Every structure is written in C-alpha cells, then in structure tokens.
Amino acid sequence: MQSDLQVFLALVIAHLIGDFPLQSLRMVGEKAALLGAAYFRHGLVHLVLSVSALALFTPALVWQRPTIYALALLTVGHLASDWGKNHLVRWRPGLDSGALFVADQILHLLIIAAASMIIVRHAPTTEVVRAAMSPTA
C-alpha cells in the first residue's frame, strides 16, 4: 500500500508543478489557441517531471515497461483533457470556465490514479527489485 501512495503522490506533485509554476501565461494562451506546439511542450514538461518524480520517490519502478506505458497514457490523457477543455472554452464561450477548470483537474487526478494503478499493479516483487539493485547484478 505504501508504494501505491508513493506513486500517486509523486505523480500528483509532478502534475501540480507542471500545470502551475512551470506553465507560463504564454503557453496557456497558445494552448487556448489550440496550437499543437504548445501542447507538445506542455506534454514534454509533464513527462519529464513525472519520470523525475518517480525516479526520486520510487526509483525501482521508473524504468519498468508498465511504468513507461503508464507514463505515455498519463501524458496523452493529460493533453487530451487540456485540449478538450480548451476546445470547449473556445467553441462554447458561455460555459463556466471555472467549472471546466475544476472538471479538468478532477479528470487529471483520475488519469493519475489510473496510471498509478498500472504502475503498482505490474511492479516487480521486492525480491526482483533487490536483485536488480544489488551491486552484483
């Protein structure tokens, strides 16, 4: 259970850093204009932060194949959520942007939870991790 929470919190921390302090107003504007390059940069920031957070908090899991798949799902899901929110705001200007922001963040948390479950469910056993990290491996 501890690794469940560690993985989830590591990814939440990465998400919060990537969506708030590291997302400039310019990038927000470019994403609102639905510019693909802005989404690519934003996705790359989130991917690097997610890998870094997992490497820091759960280093034995970061380069496992299921983790790589989960991070790809997390990144694509995050960008799809952002694109959908920005698309709705652009094409339906009367919608409550505050409610859309909250819905977007809840969706991000659900995507993070799904990625966390994939990572933890397919995590190697403790013995495999110890063997992989031993100096004789």
Side-chain angles (χ1 to χ4, degrees), residues 10-20 46 49-50 78 104-105 108-109 112:
L11 294 176
V12 167
I13 289 167
H15 167 76
L16 292 173
I17 292 169
D19 257 12
F20 299 104
H46 273 276
L49 287 169
S50 296
H78 182 100
D104 180 56
Q105 292 304 310
H108 287 322
L109 289 175
I112 290 168

Side-chain angles (χ1 to χ4, degrees), residues 14-125:
H15 167 76
L16 292 173
I17 292 169
D19 257 12
F20 299 104
L22 293 185
Q23 184 170 207
S24 67
L25 290 176
R26 177 179 173 201
M27 185 179 292
V28 170
E30 289 174 347
K31 284 173 40 191
L34 303 177
L35 298 178
Y39 285 95
F40 177 79
R41 287 191 310 273
H42 186 59
L44 189 58
V45 166
H46 273 276
L47 181 60
V48 168
L49 287 169
S50 296
V51 168
S52 300
L54 289 176
L56 180 63
F57 295 109
T58 59
L61 300 178
V62 74
W63 298 119
Q64 300 296 320
R65 187 172 300 188
T67 301
I68 294 167
Y69 295 149
L71 291 175
L73 168 75
L74 177 66
T75 304
V76 170
H78 182 100
L79 295 178
S81 174
D82 282 1
W83 184 88
K85 179 193 68 162
N86 287 326
H87 187 75
L88 280 172
V89 167
R90 184 176 179 151
W91 298 108
R92 301 260 184 156
L95 291 175
D96 181 359
S97 61
L100 284 175
F101 170 79
V102 171
D104 180 56
Q105 292 304 310
I106 290 170
L107 185 54
H108 287 322
L109 289 175
L110 291 173
I111 294 167
I112 290 168
S116 298
M117 289 190 320
I118 291 168
I119 292 167
V120 172
R121 175 176 286 179
H122 298 286
T125 63

Side-chain angles (χ1 to χ4, degrees), residues 38 80 134:
S134 74

